[in-house]
Structures are given as C-alpha cells and as structure tokens.
Amino acid sequence: MHIFAVLSATLAEALQSVEKWRAAGFPVVTAAEFHARKAACDACPKLTHTALGPTCGVCGCSTRLKPWLRTEKCKLRRWVCIPAAAVPQLSRKSG
Ligand code: SF4
C-alpha cells in the first residue's frame, strides 16, 4: 500500500476516534486504568516505535495517548472500552 494511503487511512481513523471522544464529552480513564492499558500495549507484539514515540502497529495510534481516551478500545481486545457510567462523576460546588 502506498505511504499516502496508509497515512490517509490512519488520519481518518484518528479523526473518527476524536469525534467519538468529543461526542462523549472528552472522558478519560483513571490513572490506574491508563497504566493497565499502557502495560498491555508495552507488552504487545504489535507495538512499534516511530519518530512520534511508541505506536500501535494495528491502528497507528500513540500508545501514550490512546489509552487515556475512555471511548477507545484495543482492536485486538487486549484492553477494552470502559463505559463512562462505570466511573463516579465529580461533583462541583457552586458559589
Ligand atoms: S492498542 Fe492493542 S494492538 Fe495496539 S499496541 Fe496496544 S495492545 Fe497492542
């Protein structure tokens, strides 16, 4: 596949992920959830290293950013999407 076709597909997928994340209200996982996801990526045979840092060889995403997004999941099911409803909401004090 031509490099521009690969970049185009990767960018299109990234934009879809960001749109899904935006539509959900930009939810992130907890630090513990992030570290569990990151550990799975670090041990994954599909992990590659690019000029942008550690990168998933399946989806092309940064494995230092994607695991933070609650709406994302690993395509190989090494880690899963965590529903926002499973996370206690922070309360805001007014005044
Ligand atoms: S997202 Fe999944 S397939 Fe990609 S590097 Fe992480 S564990 Fe591996």
Side-chain angles (χ1 to χ4, degrees):
M1 184 182 286
H2 192 277
I3 185 65
F4 290 115
V6 172
L7 289 174
S8 176
T10 300
L11 182 59
E13 186 162 340
L15 290 173
Q16 282 182 347
S17 292
V18 170
E19 174 54 25
K20 183 170 53 175
W21 186 49
R22 183 205 62 76
F26 305 107
V28 295
V29 297
T30 66
E33 290 164 344
F34 168 78
H35 288 297
R37 287 176 166 192
K38 178 181 168 295
C41 288
D42 288 346
C44 180
K46 297 297 185 181
L47 182 68
T48 62
H49 293 274
T50 70
L52 298 177
T55 303
C56 175
V58 175
C59 66
C61 294
S62 165
T63 61
R64 294 298 176 265
L65 295 176
K66 177 177 176 174
W68 278 112
L69 308 187
R70 182 164 295 283
T71 49
E72 287 301 302
K73 65 182 180 223
C74 167
K75 287 189 172 182
L76 298 186
R77 299 181 183 207
R78 292 174 64 92
W79 50 267
V80 297
C81 176
I82 304 169
V87 179
Q89 298 297 310
L90 297 176
S91 62
R92 291 188 180 170
K93 291 184 178 179
S94 61

